[in-house]
Amino acid sequence: MNIEELTKKINMKLLKEEGKKRGIRTSCVKKIDIAKKLPKEVLEEMASKANK
């Protein structure tokens, strides 16, 4: 899956929480901007948990 598909499955709140843990700016940004800065493995894990 590409980043756009993974991002659609993940809630913005979860993305912001994960971004804050990693020191990524999370205010005034789009979901895709946060997702592009996170490692792909993290996105895949979050997407798999979101489907359950």
Side-chain angles (χ1 to χ4, degrees):
M1 278 188 192
N2 63 20
I3 293 175
E4 290 83 14
E5 292 172 354
L6 291 171
T7 305
K8 288 180 183 178
K9 295 180 180 182
I10 303 170
N11 186 345
M12 181 63 164
K13 183 178 178 182
L14 296 174
L15 275 175
K16 281 188 171 190
E17 289 174 1
E18 193 63 37
K20 286 180 183 178
K21 288 180 191 176
R22 298 172 185 276
I24 298 170
R25 189 183 118 182
T26 58
S27 63
C28 300
V29 293
K30 297 179 183 177
K31 280 174 69 171
I32 194 71
D33 295 330
I34 297 171
K36 286 180 180 178
K37 294 178 183 177
L38 290 172
K40 189 164 182 167
E41 299 83 34
V42 173
L43 290 174
E44 290 171 348
E45 181 180 333
M46 292 172 68
S48 68
K49 288 181 182 178
N51 287 336
K52 294 182 180 180

